[in-house]
Amino acid sequence: NGELFADYVLPSLSKRSYEALNINYDSRLILRSEFEAIANDCESLYQTRKGLETANQFEHLMNLDAPDGLRLATAELTIQGDDNGGDMLRMSNNILKLKQAEKIVQNSWMGGRNKEFQVYTLSLDEFISEPKNSALEFLNFVFDHNEADVSMEQKESAAMKYSQTYLNKKEGSRHITDGKASDKEQLAEYLRHDAVFGPPMKKIEMLVETALAESRNTVML
């Protein structure tokens, strides 16, 4: 439930600085009070409107106006709904834990035995717009540029096949993520300036952008 989920993610997300990513915040990434404010906002929207008293999440999103629907969807993605959601805080927690593990390995005795622990963070937006290039960057990360057993031609061929599979599935299904809404910038600005969602969302965005930048630099090296 939401309370257990909070107990799981909040300890690692309630610090002011994260050495593994060289990040310092003016305040903690997300406070318990911010988590609870999002939960309260979700409860104020879910099954409280006329005609939606027994509706599920999807039916709410189909009937609420854009700002309210965005808040409800973002709340579920943040705090976890009924055994679903929580993706944003889980993603943030995973980024931090994996980067901390990477640093521990680099600084431990394992580093002296040519052991490496590297993390690659992939942007879904970039994958949607450039599936082949995103797949190729991932393969370049997995298989070093100097890896004799896997040629660039083989990686390019695999990336092309993966891209084509994604594009074929996207054309034949409404359930394959295929981009953003036409009013995406307006909705993003609404969230950034929202009193409940704005502060934690800005810090999570900063965390993700830092991890993405590190991954891009790793692939380019």
Side-chain angles (χ1 to χ4, degrees), residues 88-182:
M88 275 194 283
L89 293 188
R90 191 178 295 109
M91 171 189 65
S92 301
N93 182 68
N94 290 344
I95 288 174
L96 292 170
K97 291 302 183 184
L98 287 169
K99 294 303 290 184
Q100 288 167 358
E102 182 181 27
K103 190 160 188 176
I104 289 171
V105 171
Q106 289 172 348
N107 295 335
S108 73
W109 61 270
M110 295 175 67
R113 299 178 59 182
N114 296 320
K115 298 290 185 180
E116 285 189 303
F117 184 98
Q118 292 182 313
V119 179
Y120 181 72
T121 305
L122 173 67
S123 164
L124 182 58
D125 286 346
E126 292 175 1
F127 175 77
I128 290 171
S129 60
E130 295 287 344
K132 179 187 174 184
N133 289 341
S134 295
L136 184 58
E137 285 187 2
F138 172 74
L139 292 172
N140 283 333
F141 172 80
V142 174
F143 302 103
D144 187 86
H145 292 284
N146 300 317
E147 180 67 58
D149 294 335
V150 183
S151 68
M152 179 56 71
E153 290 76 14
Q154 289 174 307
K155 288 186 284 188
E156 288 180 344
S157 176
M160 176 62 76
K161 289 179 181 178
Y162 190 81
S163 171
Q164 196 58 54
T165 299
Y166 163 75
L167 293 174
N168 289 340
K169 286 184 177 181
K170 185 175 74 171
E171 290 178 3
S173 174
R174 295 178 59 191
H175 296 284
I176 302 298
T177 301
D178 60 2
K180 301 295 186 69
S182 59

Side-chain angles (χ1 to χ4, degrees), residues 179-187:
K180 301 295 186 69
S182 59
D183 55 352
K184 61 177 183 179
E185 292 301 330
Q186 179 182 356
L187 294 175

Side-chain angles (χ1 to χ4, degrees), residues 1-2 4 18 40 52 54 80 89 130 143 161 175 195 200 220:
N1 59 35
L4 291 177
Y18 298 89
N40 291 336
L52 297 176
T54 60
Q80 185 172 17
L89 293 188
E130 295 287 344
F143 302 103
K161 289 179 181 178
H175 296 284
M220 292 173 63

Side-chain angles (χ1 to χ4, degrees), residues 5-132:
F5 182 66
D7 292 338
Y8 166 68
V9 298
L10 289 179
S12 64
L13 299 181
S14 58
K15 299 178 181 178
R16 291 180 181 272
S17 64
Y18 298 89
E19 270 187 47
L21 283 169
N22 296 317
I23 291 179
N24 287 281
Y25 294 109
D26 293 334
S27 62
R28 294 175 178 83
L29 186 59
I30 184 165
L31 303 171
R32 182 170 288 274
S33 60
E34 292 173 326
F35 187 99
E36 291 172 352
I38 294 174
N40 291 336
D41 196 63
C42 179
E43 290 175 358
S44 74
L45 294 168
Y46 193 69
Q47 297 183 341
T48 60
R49 306 293 174 86
K50 186 176 181 180
L52 297 176
E53 294 88 347
T54 60
N56 59 28
Q57 174 83 352
F58 178 76
E59 290 167 337
H60 276 76
L61 298 181
M62 293 297 293
N63 288 280
L64 292 173
D65 59 28
D68 286 348
L70 179 64
R71 283 164 50 213
L72 183 62
T74 304
E76 183 185 37
L77 282 170
T78 307
I79 63 170
Q80 185 172 17
D82 185 15
D83 296 326
N84 295 304
D87 302 77
M88 275 194 283
L89 293 188
R90 191 178 295 109
M91 171 189 65
S92 301
N93 182 68
N94 290 344
I95 288 174
L96 292 170
K97 291 302 183 184
L98 287 169
K99 294 303 290 184
Q100 288 167 358
E102 182 181 27
K103 190 160 188 176
I104 289 171
V105 171
Q106 289 172 348
N107 295 335
S108 73
W109 61 270
M110 295 175 67
R113 299 178 59 182
N114 296 320
K115 298 290 185 180
E116 285 189 303
F117 184 98
Q118 292 182 313
V119 179
Y120 181 72
T121 305
L122 173 67
S123 164
L124 182 58
D125 286 346
E126 292 175 1
F127 175 77
I128 290 171
S129 60
E130 295 287 344
K132 179 187 174 184

